[in-house]
Amino acid sequence: MKPALVVLAAGMGSRYGGVKQIDAVGRNGECLLDFSSFDAKKSGFGKIVFIIRPDIEQDFRERLFDRVAANFDAEYVFQTKESLFTQEELSKCAERTKPWGTMHAVLCAEKALKEPFAVINSDDYYGRQAFEVLGKYLSSIDCDCTEHAMVSYILGNTMSKSGSVSRGVCTVKDGYLDSIVENTKISYDKNGGIITELDGNVYSLTGKEPVSMNFFGFSMKAFEEFHVYWDNFKKTSIDQPKTEALLPVAASDIVKHGKGSLKVFTSTEQWFGMTYPEDRETVKKEIAEKIKSGYYPEKLWDN
């Protein structure tokens, strides 16, 4: 069974200042997501499911989706502030404007899936090798498998010179995930070292730590634990205006609660992505270099 690719594309782009997931960076108006979609199809994924906000639907179709769908089995689902809540629950968070997070987004896509699936961010470049490795693994498991997987990256390869980044710092033992700690503010210090602000304290990092870039692979079995995590999140955080339900935390809970394992594949690919406005030119340059080297064709899609 060919796996599916789920794309987290409903973000607000607050640091970027716009809808970065459909911003053109390729020679023919392609978005960064065009290249991830191309790599996924080339690596054996059978379909792609985008998670978007209703307010960007028209632009999303015109700038990306219709082009990808002409070449790949593709669909999209909506993530809204009201998704997966009862009316009683919504009354407790009526003032909230911030999205509910990456775990909430994946749950919004559950009904569109019936096969093992990978998850990626819309604004990160992952590299084809990662798609090949995870795609091959997901093709080998069934929907009840309790051994899930992820691709980790080397922290120093995922930093931005434009500002801080959010990364899940992983502890890996014998090739399997032991834990993930979400670090929402990792940056360079004035001397070029890497630091993280965590729980009100500042810590130094080596840059060699394996980190999560939200590139996970799951069987459908994972949704059992995802629902447990989501139900607990609603009970404890529904009235908090900024707290988000995070996929890396839910994935780590699978391990912590003894409900399965996560096999860790490590990529040495240099990350680039669309976190800040200044990143756009860097991404365009990196994509142009990959086209020049023959890594991508001059014209990405046939249609």
Side-chain angles (χ1 to χ4, degrees):
M1 180 183 295
K2 288 187 175 182
L5 178 65
V6 175
V7 181
L8 306 171
M12 301 292 286
S14 54
R15 287 181 291 183
Y16 188 78
V19 189
K20 56 187 174 181
Q21 52 267 52
I22 50 176
D23 207 351
V25 294
R27 291 182 178 178
N28 300 295
E30 299 96 343
C31 311
L32 190 56
L33 266 180
D34 277 288
F35 296 93
S36 290
S37 302
F38 181 87
D39 285 340
K41 184 181 180 185
K42 198 172 182 68
S43 301
F45 284 81
K47 73 175 185 180
I48 186 166
V49 179
F50 298 96
I51 306 165
I52 67 168
R53 306 192 314 267
D55 61 291
I56 68 168
E57 180 181 13
Q58 183 175 343
D59 285 344
F60 174 76
R61 290 194 66 101
E62 292 175 355
R63 298 190 198 178
L64 174 74
F65 180 79
D66 290 347
R67 179 171 60 245
V68 173
N71 295 274
F72 201 177
D73 182 2
E75 64 180 292
Y76 58 87
V77 299
F78 293 128
Q79 179 188 15
T80 71
K81 193 185 77 169
E82 295 78 21
S83 300
L84 310 179
F85 287 95
T86 65
Q87 285 302 314
E88 182 181 354
E89 289 168 339
L90 288 172
S91 68
K92 298 177 182 179
C93 56
E95 302 301 316
R96 185 182 175 107
T97 57
K98 191 176 181 65
W100 286 106
T102 49
M103 186 65 263
H104 179 247
V106 172
L107 287 169
C108 289
E110 181 178 7
K111 292 181 179 179
L113 299 167
K114 60 181 186 298
E115 60 278 280
F117 62 97
V119 182
I120 63 168
N121 294 330
S122 62
D123 56 347
D124 289 317
Y125 179 83
Y126 292 96
R128 192 175 304 148
Q129 180 192 23
F131 284 98
E132 291 172 346
V133 168
L134 199 52
K136 181 179 180 181
Y137 177 74
L138 292 174
S139 296
S140 72
I141 67 174
D142 60 35
C143 286
D144 291 323
C145 182
T146 58
E147 185 171 291
H148 312 286
M150 64 173 288
V151 178
S152 71
Y153 288 74
I154 306 302
L155 175 60
N157 290 343
T158 74
M159 296 294 293
S160 172
K161 295 180 180 178
S162 303
S164 65
V165 295
S166 178
R167 302 285 183 257
V169 178
C170 303
T171 301
V172 181
K173 292 184 179 179
D174 300 322
Y176 288 84
L177 181 72
D178 186 61
S179 65
I180 302 177
V181 177
E182 275 298 297
N183 287 244
T184 58
K185 199 171 183 181
I186 301 177
S187 61
Y188 290 111
D189 63 19
K190 61 182 180 181
N191 298 315
I194 298 176
I195 57 173
T196 181
E197 295 182 30
L198 194 62
D199 298 328
N201 298 304
V202 177
Y203 302 93
S204 295
L205 297 170
T206 66
K208 296 180 181 179
E209 292 85 357
V211 295
S212 161
M213 297 291 295
N214 270 352
F215 198 175
F216 291 98
F218 301 104
S219 76
M220 293 296 289
K221 186 77 171 176
F223 278 108
E224 293 178 10
E225 190 65 18
F226 290 167
H227 281 288
V228 171
Y229 170 84
W230 176 242
D231 289 342
N232 288 334
F233 175 86
K234 288 193 291 183
K235 290 176 183 176
T236 60
S237 306
I238 195 169
D239 59 348
Q240 298 180 23
K242 294 185 178 181
T243 304
E244 295 185 38
L246 300 174
L247 177 60
V249 178
S252 185
D253 277 357
I254 292 175
V255 177
K256 185 165 61 175
H257 297 161
K259 298 298 183 180
S261 59
L262 267 83
K263 186 176 180 66
V264 178
F265 301 100
T266 301
S267 172
T268 57
E269 188 89 29
Q270 182 69 43
W271 169 87
F272 54 89
M274 307 273 281
T275 306
Y276 297 93
E278 299 85 354
D279 295 333
R280 185 170 184 266
E281 289 306 311
T282 300
V283 171
K284 289 177 68 176
K285 185 183 298 184
E286 292 284 352
I287 291 295
E289 285 296 322
K290 288 183 178 295
I291 293 171
K292 183 178 179 180
S293 70
Y295 191 90
Y296 292 114
E298 286 280 346
K299 192 171 185 293
L300 198 63
W301 301 112
D302 294 332
N303 298 314

